[in-house]
Amino acid sequence: MDHHPLVPPQTRLAEITTKALLLGALLSMVLAAANAYIGLLVGLTVSASIPAAALSMGVLRLFRRSTILENNMVQTAASAGESLVAGIIFTLPALVMMKAWSGYDYGPMVAIAILGGVLGVAFTIPLRRALIVEAALAFPEGVATAEVLKTGGVQTDKDHPEYQPSAEARRGFWTLLQAAALGGLIKLGESGLGLLAGGLATTQAWLGGRWLLMANITLSPALLGVGYIVGLNIAVLVFLGGVIGTLIGVPLNWYLNGEALLASTGIQAGSLAELGPADWQALAGASWQQCRRIGVGAMMVGGLWSLLSLARPLYQGIRASIQAYRHIRANGRDGLVRTEFDTPIPYVLLLTLASILPLYFIFLYALQGHEGGSTIAAVMTVLMLVFGFVFASVAGYMAGLVGSSNNPISGVTIATVIVSALILLQLMGNEGPAARIGPIAVMYLAGMICSAAAIAGDNMQDLKCGHLVGATPWRQQLFQVVGVVAAALVIPWVLDVLDNGYGIGRPSPLNPEATPLSAPQASLMRDLASGVFGNGIEWGYIYIGFALAVALIVLDEWQRRRGSSFRFPVLAVAVGVYLPMGLSVPIFVGGLLAHALRNRTQGNGKGLLLASGLITGEALMGVLVAVAAVTLPGQLPWLDGLALAPWLGAAALLGCIYYLYRRS
């Protein structure tokens, strides 16, 4: 079937402009900061293309002239920043947790982010034609973003009556800002002022102490928005993981291993009746810490299964890309229309070759003068180029099937860490300094590969959007690089602020009373890399996770063959097991809300903007509160311990649910 983009190939509209360049770079930085917070909090990230498109239309309408292709360029750069930060936060905090870095070192982080991100862009260029044009994959967020952009009109010119700014675009912009303000105010009331509680929790010992129950809920508008965007299927599975890890796992583990838990917590009592509330909370926490390793095992199997199941379509996609390049080389570009003009392959190869030397020196720096470091750094460079392309291709293909928000980047990273750790173990051994340096080198490699994969998935969505609206691919690919560089320059600062304000994966060194951001993927990567090099991995609960993953894979395959729309991807359940259950409850509610609204209305574009606004507002306010926590005198929140805070926090979340339901 012939493709007819909104802007025909023969039509020339402004795409690369100064205002689009500056706005795209700025939004890339802002959305990178927001996604860093939400990703470290819950272990899930969502595509920023739709809010970026709405913000772009709202800002560009202030100018005398603008075009849909300018808007598309802005959202392309902005969403590149959002996706890059996912690759960084899933990996590099592990280096601080394992004390390889004393803080978030600016130079190495910027180098890793830029190299990984730019290579991720380069690796998607030969895949665009194969996956978007020939395979015609769904790329749901790319299609949705194109629909948002179309509401602003093809072009606006305030001096021309025919091209006046769209009222619908204005409404979308203000809808996003209003939701962001609501999310930001609630976060300020919770983390800054202490008027609202951030969560509710209870620990109960029943049946004379033989049955231990732990339950909690996080009162977060952002998590409500996450659930709305990822949809009912994923939200249900994340909640199911929470039920398995907390409501089932904690009491069952206590019932079977009570004496071992008492010994591990150092609690001594003649009978269970002597234990107080603090003792029960400590025991429930220790039981949950063991049960969450079930999620680790499920993530490991789920990551490997994702790669195995994509082997054939990946081969077909690469072959189609090679055939397309041969066709262009044989016939030239004379008959190639503007909307199919990618960055020429020789330029892509030149960029890849130019990255070899910087990659080598970064890996050499990571090896810290280890004997044979030159050879090992060369091997790591080859691994980066090979694994980077393979995993970026996997991520791009998966984005076409399930969308960027549901893309299993965690699984790609887990596979990277395991395989590269085993390879480096053979090269370095695990004696003496190698036991310390090996995991560090693994995390440098994982950070680059995960960044490339994250960029690849989200950028393929952007290229799909460009394909629908009639953008010029090579210009869009250039703006992807702009977004990568802009975000890379601020990510280390954002992580440093969040670590000082809240703590990432451990208590904050400057604000130890704050609740740390869990950073589940980075904690897992640290444990896997260190375990392979000899620090040991406790396999008992991980084996249970293996069994859970196999059961879910079988169930998912059964659903696939039945043609069911409800699937059982392993990684969604695994993340739910690994995270505190309280995080999964508002995600579940958001998924239910999205499902109910989609059954009542023809579209959900306004709901997506509202959900994105709640996420962005809470996340950005979270960053600002973290800055205040380490710069202002006194402890935050200022009114900590307010008696009405739990009730007010619950009321605020219920208000957000009502707001999202009514406004959508």
Side-chain angles (χ1 to χ4, degrees):
M1 184 173 65
D2 292 336
H3 168 65
H4 300 287
L6 180 66
V7 180
Q10 62 272 19
T11 301
R12 301 283 176 173
L13 293 180
E15 289 186 81
I16 296 181
T17 63
T18 301
K19 60 180 182 291
L21 183 68
L22 295 176
L23 182 58
L26 177 62
L27 288 181
S28 175
M29 296 176 181
V30 171
L31 294 176
N35 226 28
Y37 173 84
I38 200 68
L40 290 168
L41 174 67
V42 73
L44 295 172
T45 58
V46 294
S47 174
S49 296
I50 292 174
L55 285 171
S56 170
M57 288 191 296
V59 175
L60 288 182
R61 65 183 295 275
L62 300 176
F63 292 87
R64 191 158 61 99
R65 294 189 181 94
S66 64
T67 73
I68 191 173
L69 300 186
E70 275 185 297
N71 280 307
N72 180 58
M73 291 297 163
V74 172
Q75 72 84 16
T76 295
S79 61
E82 166 269 328
S83 57
L84 178 67
V85 81
I88 296 299
I89 64 174
F90 288 172
T91 52
L92 296 191
L95 290 167
V96 178
M97 295 179 199
M98 64 176 64
K99 299 182 179 178
W101 289 353
S102 59
Y104 288 89
D105 290 354
Y106 191 84
M109 283 194 70
V110 170
I112 291 170
I114 289 179
L115 277 171
V118 170
L119 285 173
V121 174
F123 294 151
T124 59
I125 290 171
L127 294 175
R128 188 197 68 85
R129 169 173 283 275
L131 300 184
I132 294 176
V133 179
E134 297 183 8
L137 298 181
F139 291 100
E141 278 113 334
V143 174
T145 304
E147 293 303 313
V148 172
L149 289 176
K150 289 175 184 178
T151 64
V154 173
Q155 58 182 317
T156 62
D157 187 338
K158 293 182 178 180
D159 296 335
H160 199 295
E162 188 179 349
Y163 301 121
Q164 293 301 303
S166 164
E168 189 173 353
R170 182 175 65 252
R171 286 194 297 269
F173 174 69
W174 286 111
T175 294
L176 185 68
L177 286 189
Q178 290 167 11
L182 177 61
L185 287 173
I186 291 176
K187 183 62 181 176
L188 177 63
E190 181 254 313
S191 294
L193 303 178
L195 293 172
L196 312 174
L200 302 174
T202 183
T203 301
Q204 300 290 332
W206 293 342
L207 302 177
R210 291 188 296 274
W211 194 258
L212 182 60
L213 175 72
M214 182 175 76
N216 61 333
I217 175 175
T218 302
L219 304 173
S220 167
L223 298 183
L224 189 70
V226 169
Y228 190 99
I229 291 175
V230 301
L232 182 63
N233 193 164
I234 298 299
V236 166
L237 295 180
V238 173
F239 181 71
L240 175 63
V243 170
I244 293 171
T246 303
L247 293 185
I248 297 175
V250 168
L252 190 60
N253 188 30
W254 165 248
Y255 180 78
L256 297 175
N257 303 301
E259 292 185 6
L261 287 169
L262 284 167
S264 67
T265 54
I267 296 174
Q268 297 180 355
S271 67
L272 296 180
E274 298 178 10
L275 299 178
D279 296 324
W280 287 117
Q281 287 179 8
L283 290 167
S287 179
W288 175 73
Q289 288 291 347
Q290 292 180 345
C291 290
R292 72 191 306 209
R293 295 187 192 127
I294 296 172
V296 173
M299 284 187 199
M300 292 169 68
V301 172
L304 294 175
W305 174 252
S306 297
L307 297 180
L308 291 174
S309 60
L310 287 173
R312 183 175 180 181
L314 174 61
Y315 166 75
Q316 293 173 341
I318 293 174
R319 186 177 66 176
S321 297
I322 294 173
Q323 290 173 347
Y325 169 64
R326 288 175 176 171
H327 175 77
I328 292 172
R329 188 174 181 181
N331 300 300
R333 292 184 176 270
D334 294 338
L336 198 64
V337 297
R338 175 186 61 80
T339 52
E340 292 300 327
F341 197 155
D342 286 292
T343 303
I345 289 295
Y347 291 0
V348 176
L349 294 176
L350 184 62
L351 178 62
T352 305
L353 291 174
S355 71
I356 291 176
L357 204 57
L359 287 172
Y360 172 80
F361 281 113
I362 288 176
F363 293 138
L364 194 63
Y365 173 81
L367 292 165
Q368 302 177 6
H370 180 72
E371 183 179 357
S374 298
T375 302
I376 297 171
V379 172
M380 292 179 69
T381 302
V382 174
L383 290 177
M384 170 58 203
L385 295 176
V386 174
F387 287 174
F389 178 71
V390 171
F391 291 159
S393 301
V394 169
Y397 188 86
M398 286 299 294
L401 294 179
V402 299
S404 297
S405 298
N406 301 329
N407 206 343
I409 297 298
S410 300
V412 169
T413 311
I414 291 166
T416 300
V417 169
I418 293 173
V419 174
S420 58
L422 292 173
I423 292 173
L424 291 183
L425 180 64
Q426 298 304 312
L427 295 173
M428 302 175 63
N430 60 353
E431 301 294 332
R436 180 182 63 86
I437 297 173
I440 295 173
V442 168
M443 295 318 304
Y444 270 70
L445 180 61
M448 287 196 186
I449 292 177
C450 189
S451 297
I455 280 288
D458 197 69
N459 286 338
M460 291 300 290
Q461 296 284 359
D462 295 333
L463 290 169
K464 174 70 172 185
C465 176
H467 182 66
L468 295 173
V469 301
T472 307
W474 75 263
R475 292 190 172 103
Q476 206 169 356
Q477 289 149 4
L478 176 63
F479 261 62
Q480 289 167 359
V481 173
V482 169
V484 165
V485 174
L489 295 176
V490 300
I491 288 173
W493 175 79
V494 171
L495 294 190
D496 199 52
V497 166
L498 292 175
D499 192 36
N500 290 330
Y502 301 103
I504 296 176
R506 84 250 193 279
S508 165
L510 298 182
N511 191 22
E513 299 301 320
T515 302
L517 302 172
S518 59
Q521 285 88 351
S523 301
L524 172 60
M525 305 312 161
R526 173 201 59 191
D527 294 341
L528 289 176
S530 300
V532 169
F533 275 86
N535 289 356
I537 298 176
E538 296 184 25
W539 289 101
Y541 294 91
I542 292 177
Y543 289 147
I544 298 175
F546 289 173
L548 173 64
V550 171
L552 289 169
I553 288 169
V554 171
L555 187 57
D556 187 56
E557 283 297 297
W558 183 59
Q559 289 288 86
R560 181 182 65 82
R561 294 183 181 183
R562 289 179 61 238
S564 173
S565 60
F566 193 94
R567 301 290 295 275
F568 288 86
V570 175
L571 291 169
V573 180
V575 167
V577 174
Y578 191 81
L579 290 170
M581 183 184 173
L583 297 174
S584 69
V585 176
I587 292 175
F588 176 59
V589 173
L592 288 175
L593 193 58
H595 181 71
L597 288 169
R598 285 167 187 166
N599 286 338
R600 289 180 56 232
T601 61
Q602 292 296 320
N604 65 344
K606 189 173 183 180
L608 288 174
L609 287 177
L610 290 167
S612 299
L614 291 175
I615 295 170
T616 304
E618 178 178 332
L620 292 178
M621 183 59 70
V623 175
L624 294 176
V625 170
V627 173
V630 297
T631 57
L632 298 179
Q635 182 69 41
L636 291 180
W638 288 319
L639 300 176
D640 193 22
L642 188 67
L644 290 176
W647 297 100
L648 294 175
L653 184 65
L654 290 174
C656 283
I657 294 171
Y658 179 78
Y659 172 78
L660 188 55
Y661 181 81
R662 294 296 299 176
R663 290 296 307 277
S664 295

